[in-house]
Amino acid sequence: MYDLIIIGSGPAGLSAAVYGMRAGLKLLVLEQNPMSGGQVLNTYEVDNYLGMPGINGFDMGMKFKEHAQTMGAVFKQAAVTAMSGKNDIKIVETADGSVYEAKTLILAMGAGHTLLNVPGEKEFKGKGVSYCATCDGAFFKGRDVAVVGGGDVAVEDAVYLSRMCRKVHLIHRRDSLRAAKSLQDKLFACENVELHWNQTVSGICGSDLVDGVMLHSVTDGTDSRLDVEGVFIAIGMRPNTGGFCEMIDRDASGYLIAGEDCLTSVPGIFAAGDIRTKQVRQIVTAVADGACAVAGVERYLS
Ligand code: NAP
């Protein structure tokens, strides 16, 4: 019987592990992937985390995990398939058939990529369609690629790809970017990035590999084609509730409803990081959630 099981090992889960160990809790961290760090691992450069300007996302993820391990946190790689716990004992089942019991849970599974849901997207995933520029950009060295989206991630991806690709087409459905001004400044300074305003992607084409995207203008309704060999989709995130969070109240987008105290609708179950309803989804707010959730766990246990 654990005091606390943390599901997920991104910044929120790892921060909760550090705070939980310091609080003397018997805890276990369940992580689905062999590498801890969550979305941070796929971030080329993080420039807004206090005290670590310009750190590479992978290095940051490793630093976070090392910290939790140094505190003695125990990790197990296993995908959670079911969870129950309206009563005092919470039960977590994993894909390898293991069953774990805990007095409290912190859900810190983060968020994943939103799909465009256009013809060709699923078919060409890994064959030209990617959701991670830092992971796959190198495959497109010297080629023409498209990035879809207008947020921080899309703009960051376009800037990153412009360093290795011949040309980067940034396709955005509106006439202004949502991305931070500082990122936009970097983007506008890239000579090989072309912006396609007011355009949506209606399809991704190719035979074995991607060779183009179909664009639809939202202003005049015309359709056109861009020849590209890679399409990087960066249109936001959706919560990784994994199909086992039905017992917890969620908002219309599926995020677990919880305030700054990270309390969900089920006593003893807390939500931390990008998976919970919040205004600002950043590494720093996820890390803060880890601390707040453990404070909630301690209050609940006592
Ligand atoms: P985001 O800020 O939600 O931006 C998503 C973008 O995709 C928006 O421009 C949106 O268009 C567009 N979009 C959404 N659905 C679409 C669709 N079906 N078709 C075409 N375009 C679509 O998401 P994000 O860029 O992934 O960022 C997620 C969070 O991480 C944000 O809070 C961001 O600030 C944070 N982040 C921060 C940093 C940093 O500070 N260094 C780096 C990366 C991410 P509209 O603009 O028209 O809505």
Side-chain angles (χ1 to χ4, degrees), residues 39 43 45-48 114-116 148-154 156 171-174 176-180 183 199-201 234-237 274 279-282:
Q39 297 165 65
T43 304
E45 191 178 84
V46 179
D47 216 9
N48 54 4
T114 307
L115 304 184
L116 263 181
V148 188
D152 285 343
V153 172
E156 242 181 21
I171 303 162
H172 183 38
R173 64 182 177 184
R174 289 190 297 123
S176 62
L177 297 167
R178 180 182 293 278
L183 288 172
Q199 303 280 336
T200 55
V201 171
I235 58 165
M237 310 298 291
D274 283 9
Q279 288 291 324
V280 182
R281 292 196 170 84
Q282 291 283 298

Side-chain angles (χ1 to χ4, degrees), residues 39-40 42-46 48 111-114 130-135 146-162 168 170-172 177-180 183-184 187 232-238 274 281-283:
Q39 297 165 65
V40 168
N42 297 330
T43 304
Y44 174 67
E45 191 178 84
V46 179
N48 54 4
H113 304 287
T114 307
S130 168
Y131 300 85
C132 177
T134 46
C135 317
V147 176
V148 188
D152 285 343
V153 172
V155 170
E156 242 181 21
D157 284 359
V159 171
Y160 174 72
L161 290 166
S162 74
V168 179
L170 181 64
I171 303 162
H172 183 38
L177 297 167
R178 180 182 293 278
L183 288 172
Q184 293 195 34
L187 179 80
F232 290 85
I233 299 169
I235 58 165
M237 310 298 291
R238 57 184 176 176
D274 283 9
R281 292 196 170 84
Q282 291 283 298
I283 300 165

Side-chain angles (χ1 to χ4, degrees), residues 77-186:
Q77 192 194 335
V80 174
T81 50
M83 174 181 85
S84 59
K86 288 269 180 197
N87 304 318
D88 286 351
I89 297 174
K90 319 297 178 200
I91 295 169
V92 175
E93 295 173 36
T94 55
D96 59 5
S98 304
V99 178
Y100 300 91
E101 290 183 346
K103 296 173 191 164
T104 64
L105 301 177
I106 294 179
L107 307 180
M109 293 90 77
H113 304 287
T114 307
L115 304 184
L116 263 181
N117 286 321
V118 296
E121 181 179 18
K122 282 198 184 123
E123 191 186 337
F124 292 113
K125 188 174 170 202
K127 296 174 181 171
V129 171
S130 168
Y131 300 85
C132 177
T134 46
C135 317
D136 300 328
F139 297 125
F140 299 90
K141 201 169 173 196
R143 317 268 172 105
D144 290 2
V145 298
V147 176
V148 188
D152 285 343
V153 172
V155 170
E156 242 181 21
D157 284 359
V159 171
Y160 174 72
L161 290 166
S162 74
R163 295 175 193 151
M164 62 197 80
C165 296
R166 195 180 77 91
K167 178 142 192 183
V168 179
H169 299 271
L170 181 64
I171 303 162
H172 183 38
R173 64 182 177 184
R174 289 190 297 123
D175 62 359
S176 62
L177 297 167
R178 180 182 293 278
K181 168 91 173 49
S182 56
L183 288 172
Q184 293 195 34
D185 290 345
K186 282 188 191 170

